[in-house]
Amino acid sequence: MKRIEIAELLTNGSDYLGKTVLVKGWVRAFRSNRFIQLNDGSCMGNIQAVIDFENIAEAILKRITTGSSISVEGELVSSQGAGQAYEIQASTIAIIGDAHPDEVQKTVLQPKKHSFDFLREQAHLRFRTNTFGAVFRIRHAASFAIHQFFNNRGFNYIHTPILTGSDAEGAGEMFRVSTLDPKSPPLDDEGKVDFSKDFFGKQVNLTVSGQLEAELAALGLGKVYTFGPTFRAENSNTSRHLAEFWMIEPEVAFNDLNDNMDLTEDFLKYCCNYILENCQEELKFLDERLAKEQAQKPQNERNKLGLIESIKFVVDNPFKRLSYTDAINVLLNSKHYKKKKFQFPVEWGIDLQSEHERYLVEKEFNCPVILSDYPAKIKAFYMRVNDDKKTVAAMDVLFPGVGEIVGGSQREERLEVLESKCEEFNIEKEELWWYLETRSLGTVPHAGFGMGFERLVMFLTGMSNIRDVIPFPRTPDNAEF
Ligand code: 4AD
Ligand code: MG
């Protein structure tokens, strides 16, 4: 007999009423030696299987434990009990894989509330919990929505290299990739490691961004995007940073900063709307989870909106757009500043700290914010210099709860300006000859941005730690699994 997925039974149950069906899954709960809650991953919901004692041997009954995998055959009937429309009157049960109760006790499979810390230590099993099932289904749906958004608009998906010789962001936070013997590497005349003897004949690292390569592609294909793993060796052990994360980087020829802001806003709204329309069951579950978590907090620390409400809010309301300079003035004029409640100083030229960003989004404007035209000194070399010569055509999108979700800019398309920026930032022009050459061969204005995929998933799921929205997080001192 062919197995039917539980999602199919729960959505189209009436088609199967009175028929014999076969399902397979993991036991989530077994009550009164009679009611099994079975889940096979096809949806959040479980199907209830009711045991008919006469048909099921005592030896099998004993092995139906939480966490074990079984197959159940029986007639689909309308359920007498509350909480489900249909259930299976089990006539045959076979054990597929045992799960010994003593072992289960020590794991997150035990049906009770577990801390997220413990769940992280059990990343190999947390897929089987309701919360992580919901999070990873939404993660999937969001990545699908992203490809759909760009495909609908005629963008080409470009696979940029993971191994690269360049430091696109100029922040020096790179993981080196080398096949040299770490104990006795070849040395040059000055006694330094001779990377010309390394695998690629030069120093190579894991990419911190696919942008520079995406720009090359956009200058031929017009509209492109990347969606790939990105690596940063920044030693920031925060709830919003990973050493390995996924980034989406669209790049569009002939776009200026305003076009770039419009694209970002459309893009974020599309992703949010897609999840509202396609992940209702998961959102409802996570919304309730978040509400319970919020209820534990002091009144003044609670979110103003629930999960679903805050996603709807993003879809329905325009983002607030203002310049970095105006944002600094807003901060300087705030009561918060006057009462000395910011930990870090506020003055023109600073890199905004997350407390500043959160103040703007959560206290001042109460909506997503796009800040633009930052001081040139605190932004990357490739951003287009504005007429004032002090600022660049940069933009950051700030979201409630997550802070910076997108960073982008119009790119410097003027060769002389770009060359002088390279000098200013101590970037060897020889290393970037291919990037610079595009500026003397039919250069055009162009713009793009990068969105941290996990930051989006945090917003869409209400999870407050970035480690809980990626299956196997990579952070300082942690690369288990
Ligand atoms: O602001 P960033 O550094 O911008 C770039 O890399 C540009 N090359 C993007 C572009 O214009 N094509 O990073 C972009 C986004 C951030 O806004 C943030 O959402 C995310 O990537 N991000 C991280 N996410 C998780 N962990 C980290 N360590 C992250 N660093 C950046
Ligand atoms: Mg940034």
Side-chain angles (χ1 to χ4, degrees):
M1 196 175 190
K2 208 168 176 310
R3 171 173 87 97
I4 296 180
E5 287 191 341
I6 291 169
E8 166 67 8
L9 282 187
L10 294 182
T11 36
N12 299 319
S14 57
D15 295 353
Y16 300 90
L17 266 184
K19 294 186 183 145
T20 299
V21 296
L22 169 68
V23 294
K24 296 180 182 179
W26 294 272
V27 175
R28 282 288 179 88
F30 186 28
R31 218 162 27 84
S32 317
N33 238 357
R34 191 164 150 73
F35 302 101
I36 302 170
Q37 293 296 328
L38 199 67
N39 188 287
D40 67 358
S42 58
C43 60
M44 284 213 65
N46 305 322
I47 187 106
Q48 172 158 285
V50 185
I51 289 181
D52 178 350
F53 290 103
E54 281 168 23
N55 291 323
I56 313 295
E58 181 70 22
I60 296 280
L61 262 181
K62 276 198 186 133
R63 290 167 63 194
I64 304 173
T65 57
T66 302
S68 59
S69 48
I70 63 174
S71 71
V72 177
E73 210 180 297
E75 189 186 329
L76 191 77
V77 297
S78 296
S79 176
Q80 311 295 312
Q84 66 274 322
Y86 310 105
E87 63 193 20
I88 301 173
Q89 211 85 59
S91 49
T92 314
I93 292 185
I95 306 291
I96 302 173
D98 289 291
H100 199 278
D102 292 348
E103 294 288 315
V104 170
Q105 274 276 314
K106 296 179 217 148
T107 73
V108 298
L109 297 182
Q110 208 207 356
K112 62 164 207 182
K113 204 163 162 37
H114 303 283
S115 75
F116 282 124
D117 281 335
F118 183 50
L119 282 150
R120 256 168 247 145
E121 284 166 24
Q122 301 237 325
H124 59 308
L125 298 175
R126 66 179 181 170
F127 297 103
R128 292 199 216 171
T129 66
N130 283 332
T131 301
F132 286 92
V135 167
F136 292 125
R137 278 190 198 92
I138 289 181
R139 186 180 163 107
H140 158 76
S143 63
F144 186 80
I146 288 165
H147 286 298
Q148 190 163 287
F149 173 85
F150 288 119
N151 187 53
N152 287 349
R153 290 172 171 238
F155 281 65
N156 292 288
Y157 178 27
I158 296 290
H159 299 97
T160 48
I162 289 170
L163 299 172
T164 134
S166 61
D167 175 10
E169 293 305 300
E173 293 160 336
M174 297 168 301
F175 290 101
R176 180 179 301 148
V177 178
S178 172
T179 53
L180 295 179
D181 178 0
K183 273 204 214 113
S184 57
L187 302 178
D188 62 15
D189 299 344
E190 293 171 29
K192 290 189 185 145
V193 177
D194 184 0
F195 287 104
S196 71
K197 304 256 165 57
D198 206 347
F199 189 90
F200 295 104
K202 62 191 258 182
Q203 275 199 49
V204 160
N205 50 273
L206 297 177
T207 185
V208 296
S209 159
Q211 180 197 318
L212 301 189
E213 290 88 353
E215 280 186 57
L216 309 179
L219 295 175
L221 291 164
K223 289 179 288 191
V224 303
Y225 72 104
T226 71
F227 188 166
T230 312
F231 307 87
R232 297 205 182 165
E234 49 194 337
N235 209 344
S236 42
N237 228 328
T238 78
S239 58
R240 299 182 307 134
H241 288 89
L242 291 165
E244 177 180 296
F245 63 100
W246 287 67
M247 185 150 62
I248 294 94
E249 295 184 277
E251 193 68 37
V252 184
F254 310 106
N255 264 11
D256 65 13
L257 188 64
N258 270 319
D259 301 323
N260 206 27
M261 291 195 221
D262 291 344
L263 181 67
T264 313
E265 190 166 338
D266 287 352
F267 170 62
L268 287 165
K269 286 183 162 155
Y270 185 93
C271 295
C272 288
N273 195 47
Y274 186 92
I275 299 303
L276 286 174
E277 284 182 355
N278 293 281
C279 300
Q280 286 164 11
E281 201 181 10
E282 287 79 9
L283 280 183
K284 186 167 171 289
F285 177 84
L286 292 170
D287 193 313
E288 284 163 13
R289 188 202 75 78
L290 188 67
K292 276 185 217 144
E293 190 184 271
Q294 290 283 318
Q296 310 279 317
K297 290 188 176 175
Q299 194 86 38
N300 61 343
E301 283 173 31
R302 289 184 202 162
N303 297 347
K304 292 190 188 85
L305 300 177
L307 175 63
I308 297 174
E309 285 171 330
S310 64
I311 302 174
K312 281 196 176 132
F313 187 90
V314 167
V315 175
D316 294 337
N317 292 283
F319 295 4
K320 172 77 187 171
R321 300 182 185 191
L322 78 164
S323 70
Y324 167 93
T325 304
D326 288 346
I328 290 289
N329 288 332
V330 167
L331 292 173
L332 288 174
N333 289 322
S334 67
K335 281 205 188 105
H336 210 77
Y337 177 77
K338 289 176 181 151
K339 288 188 184 162
K340 300 199 167 29
K341 283 197 183 159
F342 288 121
Q343 195 191 334
F344 293 91
V346 181
E347 61 181 336
W348 199 93
I350 58 152
D351 210 351
L352 294 177
Q353 299 293 325
S354 84
E355 58 169 355
H356 305 136
E357 298 179 339
R358 294 192 75 151
Y359 178 85
L360 292 170
V361 174
E362 288 159 29
K363 296 271 184 319
E364 181 72 29
F365 298 115
N366 281 309
C367 70
V369 172
I370 311 184
L371 291 186
S372 63
D373 303 291
Y374 283 73
K377 288 214 170 62
I378 58 169
K379 289 290 183 184
F381 79 99
Y382 52 71
M383 297 192 180
R384 192 177 196 279
V385 180
N386 287 329
D387 291 344
D388 65 12
K389 302 270 191 326
K390 274 174 26 194
T391 59
V392 285
M395 60 168 211
D396 273 6
V397 183
L398 313 177
F399 254 40
V402 231
E404 181 191 330
I405 190 166
V406 163
S409 74
Q410 186 173 335
R411 319 305 187 188
E412 186 54 77
E413 85 284 13
R414 298 161 296 186
L415 181 62
E416 326 77 68
V417 185
L418 190 56
E419 282 181 336
S420 63
K421 283 293 282 284
C422 284
E423 272 158 38
E424 210 180 301
F425 282 72
N426 280 324
I427 295 167
E428 306 233 11
K429 282 183 262 175
E430 296 69 39
E431 302 262 304
L432 283 182
W433 65 269
W434 39 272
Y435 186 73
L436 295 167
E437 195 168 284
T438 58
R439 273 43 174 185
S440 60
L441 295 170
T443 190
V444 297
H446 58 289
F449 62 82
M451 179 182 74
F453 184 51
E454 285 74 21
R455 302 249 174 115
L456 175 72
V457 182
M458 283 174 82
F459 177 73
L460 294 171
T461 57
M463 301 299 277
S464 54
N465 193 316
I466 200 164
R467 294 167 178 81
D468 297 328
V469 298
I470 188 165
F472 302 104
R474 298 300 181 239
T475 50
D477 290 323
N478 173 34
E480 192 69 43
F481 307 104

